[in-house]
Structure formats: structure tokens, C-alpha cells
Amino acid sequence: EPEVTQTPSHQVTQMGQEVILRCVPISNHLYFYWYRQILGQKVEFLVSFYNNEISEKSEIFDDQFSVERPDGSNFTLKIRSTKLEDSAMYFCASRGQGASRPFFGQGTRLTVV
Amino acid sequence: KQEVTQIPAALSVPEGENLVLNCSFTDSAIYNLQWFRQDPGKGLTSLLLIQSSQREQTSGRLNASLDKSSGRSTLYIAASQPGDSATYLCAGKTGANNLFFGTGTRLTVIP
């Protein structure tokens, strides 16, 4: 079965540093998402992306966050200046056309120290 | 805003038992509801997706139901196995682009 691939699996960064989390969605999918899960809490929606632009974002997705699909295959989440509270598991997901279900990657665990 | 609640938060059963996990949501204008499995430190594996026009979906030993009017969904697992031990999440989609997740039920199947 096709899968969504995320790299790295674990990233440790110092507070204030920029991080880029990378995702390779399923090749013929059109809708892309980032979610996060702080340890012990719910999975929360961050942003959705379609047709090369953000289609929806949550209140969590402030000016410190940005997304990009730089080359037609990768989908990245950038955090400009990380804070301790950004420590979480970040999940990428992609979905095909219509009512198809989203496929999630294995996640990147981000630890800000 | 959609709120999704799952009970119980944790459940332990002996191997072979049938069990039911519960999910409730506040906004009945739901587009679809999805059940996921999450293993410790791992990603989300989609198990079943029920469209708003459907009442249930089945996959192997799993059966999920959806009752929009009461704002409830259940996941039934038949003949549980130790390999079923994981956290089970339900997530509702209400026409917007994103999913609203519940807090999950951590299932332990004891051999």
C-alpha cells in the first residue's frame, strides 16, 4: 500500500532555532495536512494545503509556522523560532480527490530544549 | 467547534473477548467519521471510515457504526488478540478541511 513518509523521525533542537519537518505525500494525492500531538493530548489540526496554497489553518498555526510544497513531491512544515511548547509529534497526511480518507505518516517527534 | 469525546480512556480485556469502544461528538452535521489505531510513539493507521450517509463499516474483526442523530459512533472488535493492544482514536470531519480527534481509548488485550 502507498504510504506517506516523514523525515526525520526525531529532531532535537534548541529553543529559538528554526526547524523544517519534511513529508513526502502519496504521489497522486492533492490535499496535504499537518497535525500535531503534544504528549498526552489530542491530535490537533494545524493546516491544510491544496492547489499550492493554504486552504485552512487553526489558531495554533501562527506566524511562526509556514508550509511549502517546493518541488511537487515534498511538503514541508517550517517553525521559524521554536519554543519549548512546540515539542510534540508532528504528523503529515495526504488525501486524494473526493471523499477518500487521509493517509498519515509515522510522524516526526520534535523536542525543543 | 466540534468536540469529540471517547470513553473509556483505558480498557483491559482478556484475549478472545469482544469489546466496544465509544466515541461521541457534539456537531451532528458530520461529514464522515474515522477510526484510527495508534501504537506507542508511532503514527496513525486508518482502520475504518464511515460517510455521513452510512450506518456502519466492517473490516475483518472490526465493525464501526455511526448514529448522527445521537452524536455517537462505536468501534466493535470481535475476538480480541494481544496484537490489538494500542490506542484507538476517532476523528470527525464536519465539512471543513480538518479532522477533530478524540483523546483516545488505550486498549490492552491480556494473553
Side-chain angles (χ1 to χ4, degrees), chain A residues 4-96:
Chain A
V4 175
T5 306
Q6 290 186 242
T7 54
S9 56
H10 190 190
Q11 171 110 35
V12 180
T13 189
Q14 287 197 321
M15 191 169 56
Q17 294 296 304
E18 174 183 287
V19 293
I20 298 176
L21 309 183
R22 303 182 190 277
C23 170
V24 179
I26 294 172
S27 62
N28 61 346
H29 282 186
L30 301 174
Y31 299 85
F32 313 107
Y33 309 87
W34 284 101
Y35 287 80
R36 79 170 186 190
Q37 185 179 32
I38 295 170
L39 189 63
Q41 298 186 23
K42 289 185 181 185
V43 177
E44 302 171 289
F45 168 75
L46 292 178
V47 66
S48 59
F49 192 85
Y50 171 72
N51 201 25
N52 285 320
E53 60 182 26
I54 291 173
S55 49
E56 188 175 357
K57 60 183 180 179
S58 72
E59 58 201 23
I60 303 168
F61 194 88
D62 61 21
D63 291 344
Q64 292 298 312
F65 291 88
S66 63
V67 288
E68 197 175 35
R69 189 158 160 76
D71 55 14
S73 62
N74 291 286
F75 180 51
T76 61
L77 174 69
K78 182 193 291 187
I79 308 175
R80 242 178 292 282
S81 176
T82 50
K83 303 188 280 284
L84 294 176
E85 54 265 38
D86 293 326
S87 295
M89 182 78 98
Y90 287 80
F91 295 107
C92 171
S94 69
R95 180 172 70 86

Side-chain angles (χ1 to χ4, degrees), chain A residues 31 33 35 37 42-45 48 55-56 89 91 95 99-102 104-107 109, chain B residues 3-4 31-32 34 36 38 41-44 46 49 51 89 93 96-99 101-103:
Chain A
Y31 299 85
Y33 309 87
Y35 287 80
Q37 185 179 32
K42 289 185 181 185
V43 177
E44 302 171 289
F45 168 75
S48 59
S55 49
E56 188 175 357
M89 182 78 98
F91 295 107
R95 180 172 70 86
S100 60
R101 62 188 172 95
F104 281 75
Q106 293 300 299
R109 179 166 298 284
Chain B
E3 292 288 339
V4 181
Y31 187 69
N32 62 46
Q34 198 163 357
F36 293 87
Q38 184 175 30
K42 299 287 183 65
L44 305 173
S46 178
L49 181 147
Q51 301 292 350
L89 304 174
K93 183 172 183 286
N97 235 330
N98 53 310
L99 296 173
F101 280 82
T103 45

Side-chain angles (χ1 to χ4, degrees), chain B residues 43-60:
Chain B
L44 305 173
T45 302
S46 178
L47 298 172
L48 290 163
L49 181 147
I50 313 174
Q51 301 292 350
S52 62
S53 57
Q54 298 173 322
R55 289 281 189 167
E56 62 181 292
Q57 282 286 329
T58 298
S59 176

